[in-house]
Amino acid sequence: MKSKHFIFRELEERIQKRLFLGKAIIVLGPRQSGKTTLIKKVVEDSGRSFLLLNADEPDVRELLDNPTSTRLRTIIGRHEIFCVDEAQRVPNIGLTLKLITDQIPETQVIATGSSSLELHSSINEPLTGRKYEFTLFPLSFAELAQDHGLLEERRYLEHRLVFGSYPEVVTNPDQAQELIRLLAGSYLYKDLLMMEGLKKPVLLEKIVKALALQLGSEVAFHEIGQLTGADSHTVERYVDLLEKAFVLFRLPAFSRNVRNEIKKGKKIYFLDNGIRNALIGNFLPLTSRTDAGALWENYMVSERRKLLCNKGVDVSGYFWRTTQQQEIDYIEERADRLLAVEFKWNPGRKASFPKTFTNAYPEVSTMAVTPADYDLFLTQPDS
């Protein structure tokens, strides 16, 4: 698996179908998740002429900051597709993209961004009703299984749980530890610390490490604050920034019918197992770890999220717990069904679903996911 060939991304077909429908295409996602490679593949396969500019370059940022439509026509020239990589670096990029979409409708605009914070704030209002938005995650289990076969990808399970699924890590497994360390640094220090108002990198590092050590557990911001010397509002703000920079995501508590259900709880998962392990500096094999179950749960929840997002399936994810400590790892709610899932790293451990839950929600389907049978859960969105 050391070849450098292009691994097919599930978003490719969805993006191709949105070309030249009169709207800008926005692709968000963490750095190094493959956004540039994906966009190049899409535009090259389209057979149309294209111009790709990288807004990490200062002269590109200057060129695209508040230009007139006449100036934009000169910049784009005869190209049919106009791509801006790392578009969040351009001030007022939303207005620029809106101008192209409205005034030069024959040109397809594609923009990528490595953090949703700046890009969302600068594109959402100007581009209301004028954009298709996609999120490109690191490689998914489904994409990797499709690329080199289910059996081989299953053999890499322990490697994925420790080192994650970033494209560079996947294609260079022998250098995985060095590469994921570099990526973790890029995550936190290149993107987050460039954000206005984030003045305390030491505090950010403390908070993200504290969250990494509570993987799979219910998180209380005031407790994280006590551990790190910050107030709960500061912790929540930093968590919000980490979520918008594609480092982690929140899973809220599910609550509908039962009186003693926890209603305002939250669990925090990392988008990629490798990033989490790099943050705490632990790359030990699973047989030498005490957190194998938590890594398994993080991998399953994050991979399921990738699958559903890549397929464009609209669902809501939760966990469930009562004040008596009855719990279910993962709840999935969609219009016509409710699914409750328990993740068991040890296939010999039996999963049980509290009667309190099944009696309150008789329409629920239940399933246990173990390393023996997890591939169905990560390849079939309706499973």
Side-chain angles (χ1 to χ4, degrees):
M1 227 177 45
K2 294 182 180 178
S3 64
K4 297 291 183 181
H5 72 283
F6 177 81
I7 297 173
F8 177 76
R9 306 306 300 266
E10 291 192 293
L11 285 187
E12 185 181 337
E13 289 180 355
R14 292 180 60 206
I15 293 172
Q16 284 172 339
K17 289 176 181 176
R18 301 295 190 277
L19 291 173
F20 297 99
L21 295 181
K23 296 182 189 297
I25 291 172
I26 311 295
V27 182
L28 301 172
R31 286 181 182 270
Q32 303 299 313
S33 59
K35 298 185 300 296
T36 308
T37 303
L38 172 65
I39 292 309
K40 282 182 178 175
K41 181 79 162 51
V42 167
V43 296
E44 285 170 0
D45 287 355
S46 74
R48 308 286 192 114
S49 60
F50 67 92
L51 175 64
L52 174 60
L53 300 179
N54 187 343
D56 272 336
E57 298 174 11
D59 56 345
V60 171
R61 293 200 293 274
E62 186 179 347
L63 197 65
L64 296 179
D65 186 15
N66 293 320
T68 63
S69 56
T70 305
R71 178 79 165 138
L72 282 167
R73 285 185 184 277
T74 306
I75 294 167
I76 296 168
R78 295 178 179 271
H79 297 102
E80 297 168 278
I81 303 176
F82 179 62
C83 306
V84 186
D85 222 359
E86 301 301 342
Q88 82 281 354
R89 302 293 310 280
V90 181
N92 302 307
I93 185 62
L95 293 171
T96 301
L97 300 181
K98 174 182 182 292
L99 206 55
I100 300 171
T101 304
D102 289 351
Q103 302 298 322
I104 317 174
E106 67 275 15
T107 300
Q108 173 64 62
V109 175
I110 302 177
T112 77
S114 64
S115 87
S116 59
L117 185 80
E118 299 110 316
L119 199 58
H120 270 172
S121 60
S122 63
I123 68 171
N124 268 350
E125 194 172 331
L127 286 176
T128 300
R130 294 179 173 89
K131 64 180 167 64
Y132 296 114
E133 191 173 297
F134 301 91
T135 302
L136 184 70
F137 296 106
L139 290 160
S140 72
F141 174 87
E143 289 168 332
L144 289 167
Q146 181 181 348
D147 181 71
H148 47 254
L150 182 63
L151 180 61
E152 185 174 351
E153 183 53 27
R154 285 178 61 94
R155 288 172 176 166
Y156 272 90
L157 175 60
E158 293 202 16
H159 194 274
R160 303 285 183 252
L161 293 184
V162 175
F163 297 106
S165 305
Y166 270 83
E168 200 174 12
V169 172
V170 166
T171 54
N172 299 279
D174 297 339
Q175 302 168 48
Q177 185 168 321
E178 179 187 357
L179 291 170
I180 198 63
R181 281 188 191 277
L182 289 171
L183 278 170
S186 167
Y187 246 133
L188 290 174
Y189 303 111
K190 187 165 186 177
D191 283 335
L192 283 173
L193 297 181
M194 284 193 300
M195 294 178 184
E196 188 179 351
L198 198 56
K199 307 296 186 190
K200 298 179 180 176
V202 174
L203 179 57
L204 173 70
E205 194 168 342
K206 283 182 180 177
I207 289 172
V208 78
K209 283 186 178 178
L211 293 167
L213 290 167
Q214 293 195 19
L215 191 68
S217 301
E218 193 178 346
V219 169
F221 289 152
H222 71 274
E223 290 178 6
I224 298 292
Q226 288 170 355
L227 287 169
T228 58
D231 64 72
S232 59
H233 294 297
T234 301
V235 174
E236 186 167 10
R237 177 170 171 265
Y238 276 45
V239 167
D240 188 52
L241 291 174
L242 288 160
E243 193 164 19
K244 287 174 175 170
F246 301 106
V247 178
L248 46 78
F249 60 95
R250 281 174 266 202
L251 205 64
F254 182 84
S255 173
R256 297 290 185 277
N257 298 334
V258 181
R259 181 173 56 81
N260 59 357
E261 285 174 329
I262 290 171
K263 295 176 173 59
K264 294 185 178 179
K266 63 200 124 335
K267 280 183 167 185
I268 289 179
Y269 295 96
F270 282 75
L271 196 68
D272 184 79
N273 274 42
I275 293 292
R276 182 267 180 178
N277 289 328
L279 291 169
I280 63 170
N282 187 350
F283 297 105
L284 289 171
L286 293 179
T287 50
S288 304
R289 304 181 73 118
T290 58
D291 59 357
L295 289 175
W296 171 243
E297 184 176 324
N298 191 90
Y299 180 74
M300 296 309 297
V301 174
S302 61
E303 285 294 323
R304 179 70 174 181
R305 192 166 177 260
K306 288 182 197 174
L307 172 71
L308 296 168
C309 190
N310 287 343
K311 297 288 189 186
V313 179
D314 185 24
V315 301
S316 299
Y318 306 90
F319 76 99
W320 181 82
R321 185 170 292 157
T322 67
T323 52
Q324 284 77 37
Q325 302 304 305
Q326 296 173 299
E327 61 181 297
I328 296 172
D329 291 336
Y330 179 71
I331 305 286
E332 200 167 87
E333 183 182 39
R334 55 184 86 190
D336 59 341
R337 59 179 280 201
L338 199 61
L339 175 67
V341 187
E342 279 286 294
F343 304 115
K344 299 296 182 188
W345 174 240
N346 181 349
R349 290 190 62 186
K350 194 174 186 308
S352 60
F353 295 88
K355 287 276 182 17
T356 306
F357 185 86
T358 54
N359 289 340
Y361 306 102
E363 75 281 12
V364 70
S365 302
T366 60
M367 69 185 299
V369 179
T370 75
D373 59 10
Y374 71 101
D375 44 273
L376 188 66
F377 185 67
L378 299 186
T379 54
Q380 303 297 322
D382 293 325
S383 65

